[in-house]
Amino acid sequence: MFLPLRDYFPFYSNKIILINKKNFAKKKLKKSSSYDFRKYDIIYPKHRIYAMLKKKIIGTKEIISIPDLELYDLDVKIDTGADSNALHCDDIFIDEQQIVHFKLLDEIHEAYHGKKISLPLYEMKKVKSSNGEVQHRPSIKVKVDFFGKSYLTVISLTNRSDMKYPMLIGRKFLAKRFLVDVSQEYLTKQTK
């Protein structure tokens, strides 16, 4: 099925290229030509293709480990609507030396270990929660293990006891690293 270029790209750009599904050969679009689009997989401006191919595809629910907090294989929700990461904690308070003290999770979570954690306060973050309420949350900077790599990231601490997942991963962590496939879940399990 050959279709005229104008049917696919009413606003033509000479930066758009096609990549053949079989041999990954690149082909620039020509305005006057028709193409069998079943043969091609990716249709994007050049600079976007290379950036996308470097990113790891993840699902809407994944597994993460936070060695600094002795939390391993924790279920997380990938939330592209959230700006930053958030972790469920109880008994959160900050002392005079700017140290945050907290207990992780609830007893109902498998990863719960009952330990009180104390870490330096990274910053107080102004966060708009899912119900529209603005909160001031303490945040910490920790190392996380995700998809076989370690990353240093900032996590805000909050009570998420009414939420299904104890942790959210937001856009700042995802940016320039991952693409989210909303039809997939737990792709981390496939990499182990």
Side-chain angles (χ1 to χ4, degrees), residues 7-53:
D7 290 352
Y8 279 88
F9 303 102
F11 304 103
Y12 175 77
S13 165
N14 63 358
K15 292 182 180 176
I16 296 173
I17 63 170
L18 306 175
I19 296 184
N20 190 299
K21 286 182 182 181
K22 290 183 181 176
N23 62 8
F24 297 103
K26 294 184 267 182
K27 185 178 203 174
K28 279 192 174 184
L29 288 179
K30 292 189 174 117
K31 198 170 192 174
S32 60
S33 302
S34 294
Y35 297 94
D36 182 357
F37 285 99
R38 293 174 296 179
K39 290 183 182 177
Y40 300 100
D41 202 15
I42 302 173
I43 306 167
Y44 284 108
K46 269 191 222 180
H47 66 281
R48 299 229 16 192
I49 290 174
Y50 300 118
M52 287 176 62
L53 291 176

Side-chain angles (χ1 to χ4, degrees), residues 155-169:
I155 299 174
S156 67
L157 307 175
T158 186
N159 187 321
R160 293 182 46 81
S161 59
D162 54 337
M163 305 293 181
K164 186 174 180 179
Y165 295 92
M167 186 169 177
L168 278 185
I169 299 289

